[in-house]
Amino acid sequence: MESSVVVDGGGGAGLAAAIRSLTGLMGELAGVVGRSSEAADGVGRLDDHDPLHDLAESCLDGLGVVARIEAAAAAVKVHFLATHAEATAAMEPPPETPYESSAREMSVVAEVACALTIGEGPASMLLQEAHALTTSLPTALNALQAGIISWRHAQIMVDETSGLDLAGVTALEAHFLDPEAPNAARGASAGELVPGRFRRKVRAWRECHHPESLEMRHARSVEDRRMECSPDRDGMAWVSLYMAADKACAIWNKSSALARGLQGPDEPRTLTQLRADVAAKLLLGETGQFAGSGPSHKADVLVTVPVFSLLGFTDEPADLDNYGPIPASMARRIVTEGAGCFYRVLVDPRDGAPLEIGRTSYRLPESLKRWLRMRDGKCTFPGCSNPSQDNEADHLAAWEHGGTTAIHNLGQLCPKHHRLKHRSGWSPSPATRNEPPGWVSPTGRQYNAEQLDREPTLWPTGCLPGEASALETSVVDYLVASSPAA
């Protein structure tokens, strides 16, 4: 572990600032608690005032402040960890052998583990995360200290920037945490996204901006493909496959499609149970008809491909629905092999907007559903990760109230949040052709939409965007020629 960075860089000052931030938030919480007590004391008063509403509102405000306090406390812990590690290293002479260096690091890890009453594995990880945040992720640490992001968000930043050079780390940090950056992330801010959704956005951006091409990294990773089995409680176990993304998604989609086909009024198993049973039968090679009845459903997967990448002029990554970036060669193979469960989506090279959807049916409802899946990517409710295949298209403004069946008045909702919309005070905010709707809670709080971070695609060397270049003409001719007949 490198030494003198925190000590010489003012580790004590950073710790003091973190403690001041935590102290200020504690004062803010005290004010919220005071308002909650006043509201609770007013319950039962016979006037027009609504103390229960004030109490409920103050509790939500208090939860928000507590979340920020937890983040600020995590920042204080980071400063303590980093400063302790660097101060300990500074007190020792330079190690003479790698063995001595390793022994010192093990000693620091053991000391932290004992102080926090945790295992040495988690203690080592905490020290590594603290070192990364205090040396190469200052914006993320400041956001954590201010309570703008949570500790889990900070961990994701550390994890997803590993392996990047300093310029790459700085660019990723600015994209997601600096609203004034030239290419700041659109839609909900980092702190407004649940950690799982934040990781997907960070990983997708990292894949597209990594200094080493996704093609090269994928080629190396394919060599690590493997199958693992992990025992679990109650006589159960987990079986997992680490393999190329297109094959993994194809396995999942086929199992899901067969499972949905088995659902019916006489089938007691849930979709989750059916999917596991179908996969087990396929792997074990059992023959015979599956139990249950009902039609088999086709699994549709959208593959968003930059048009120049599909034509072979660039190697810009494509995007596999419900997965993320995939190598251009994989996308070309999916398209050229004509896989029946995949639908090609081409994007405009000028701004990254959808250009054309390959389809086998010209029925408007189906094309709108695919466009909706492409725009939203998942259930649009805050924090929900329900994938496109299991969602329902919903009118944002109800049809009976004058709402139209147009992309700007449609949104994806999973069955659970579809029911919530119609049975509670939650309401969607307006959408656009390329932006999903946000949401407004019954208390009036606004939750911004999680918007896909589409970027202008890469142009081939020597080709400049224009109104009607020869290359653009060839692209249009290709789309016309490759579109299926009506």
Side-chain angles (χ1 to χ4, degrees):
M1 190 177 294
E2 299 175 10
S3 62
S4 76
V5 176
V6 173
V7 175
D8 295 342
L15 178 60
I19 293 175
R20 284 197 300 272
S21 176
L22 180 59
T23 304
L25 288 170
M26 291 297 293
E28 187 175 340
L29 179 63
V32 173
V33 172
R35 293 199 301 273
S36 300
S37 300
E38 292 174 3
D41 292 340
V43 174
R45 278 195 328 209
L46 299 177
D47 55 24
D48 294 335
H49 182 67
D50 189 352
L52 284 176
H53 176 271
D54 292 346
L55 180 61
E57 285 290 306
S58 62
C59 287
L60 287 176
D61 292 339
L63 287 173
V65 177
V66 167
R68 293 170 59 198
I69 288 174
E70 291 172 343
V76 172
K77 182 188 287 188
V78 163
H79 282 289
F80 274 131
L81 286 165
T83 305
H84 167 73
E86 297 301 337
T88 302
M91 290 188 295
E92 299 283 351
E96 296 181 357
T97 64
Y99 176 81
E100 184 179 352
S101 176
S102 176
R104 289 182 184 179
E105 187 168 336
M106 290 174 60
S107 177
V108 172
V109 168
E111 188 77 53
V112 169
C114 291
L116 295 178
T117 321
I118 59 176
E120 292 190 10
S124 177
M125 183 61 67
L126 274 176
L127 283 164
Q128 293 175 35
E129 291 165 341
H131 180 74
L133 285 166
T134 53
T135 58
S136 58
L137 291 165
T139 305
L141 182 55
N142 288 337
L144 179 68
Q145 188 169 296
I148 297 173
I149 62 173
S150 71
W151 170 239
R152 191 73 193 102
H153 289 80
Q155 287 181 304
I156 291 169
M157 290 291 293
V158 172
D159 187 29
E160 295 298 334
T161 53
S162 63
L164 295 178
D165 56 18
L166 183 58
V169 173
T170 302
L172 187 149
E173 200 178 28
H175 178 75
F176 287 101
L177 298 178
D178 183 3
E180 303 300 324
N183 186 30
R186 290 168 289 181
S189 65
E192 294 175 323
L193 296 172
V194 296
R197 299 306 307 171
F198 179 61
R199 181 183 288 278
R200 286 183 69 98
K201 294 194 76 171
V202 172
R203 179 166 295 172
W205 194 91
R206 176 186 185 274
E207 296 287 35
C208 293
H209 295 80
H210 200 285
E212 188 178 15
S213 74
L214 181 55
E215 291 285 354
M216 297 177 62
R217 287 178 284 130
H218 175 69
R220 283 200 307 269
S221 297
V222 166
E223 299 299 320
D224 295 329
R225 61 190 182 277
R226 60 188 178 272
M227 182 176 185
E228 297 179 349
C229 180
S230 303
D232 204 357
R233 297 182 298 273
D234 306 323
M236 303 296 287
W238 294 94
V239 173
S240 57
L241 294 168
Y242 181 67
M243 61 195 307
D246 58 337
K247 292 182 174 62
C249 288
I251 291 171
W252 173 264
N253 294 329
K254 182 174 182 178
S255 299
S256 298
L258 291 172
R260 289 191 184 96
L262 294 175
Q263 288 184 305
D266 299 324
E267 175 55 68
R269 291 174 292 179
T270 65
L271 178 62
T272 301
Q273 293 169 336
L274 283 167
R275 190 183 284 119
D277 293 346
V278 166
K281 287 179 181 290
L282 292 173
L283 284 171
L284 295 173
E286 295 183 16
T287 59
Q289 298 296 320
F290 296 138
S293 61
S296 178
H297 292 267
K298 183 179 180 181
D300 295 344
V301 180
L302 297 176
V303 185
T304 305
V305 191
V307 63
F308 290 133
S309 184
L310 179 62
L311 294 175
F313 294 131
T314 68
D315 285 326
E316 190 176 2
D319 186 88
L320 186 62
D321 185 34
N322 202 36
Y323 172 76
I326 59 174
S329 59
M330 184 184 294
R332 294 187 201 111
R333 186 171 66 250
I334 290 172
V335 173
T336 56
E337 290 177 357
C341 64
F342 291 98
Y343 282 92
R344 177 195 68 227
V345 179
L346 300 181
V347 296
D348 193 313
R350 291 165 292 194
D351 58 7
L355 183 64
E356 181 261 356
I357 303 180
R359 59 181 183 269
T360 56
S361 170
Y362 284 92
R363 291 191 303 167
L364 182 61
E366 288 300 318
S367 63
L368 273 180
K369 287 178 182 178
R370 291 177 194 147
W371 189 282
L372 193 63
R373 286 173 50 192
M374 176 179 58
R375 187 196 70 183
D376 296 351
K378 65 175 189 67
C379 173
T380 60
F381 197 83
C384 183
S385 296
N386 205 67
S388 296
Q389 299 97 315
D390 299 329
N391 293 334
E392 303 164 355
D394 178 62
H395 287 79
L396 304 180
W399 176 268
E400 58 268 26
H401 298 152
T404 60
T405 305
I407 190 65
H408 64 268
N409 191 45
L410 293 172
Q412 275 198 78
L413 285 176
C414 66
K416 171 185 174 182
H417 291 123
H418 198 169
R419 291 192 297 270
L420 182 68
K421 175 190 174 232
H422 291 290
R423 298 177 183 177
S424 72
W426 283 91
S427 60
S429 56
T432 68
R433 183 172 179 267
N434 290 316
E435 297 179 11
W439 284 83
V440 180
S441 74
T443 63
R445 286 170 169 79
Q446 174 73 42
Y447 296 90
N448 294 327
E450 179 186 335
Q451 188 175 340
L452 296 178
D453 262 340
R454 293 192 177 94
E455 299 181 4
T457 188
L458 297 176
W459 284 78
T461 304
C463 179
L464 295 176
E467 291 298 323
S469 66
L471 183 56
E472 189 172 354
T473 301
S474 69
V475 169
V476 174
D477 291 341
Y478 171 85
L479 294 178
V480 174
S482 61
S483 295

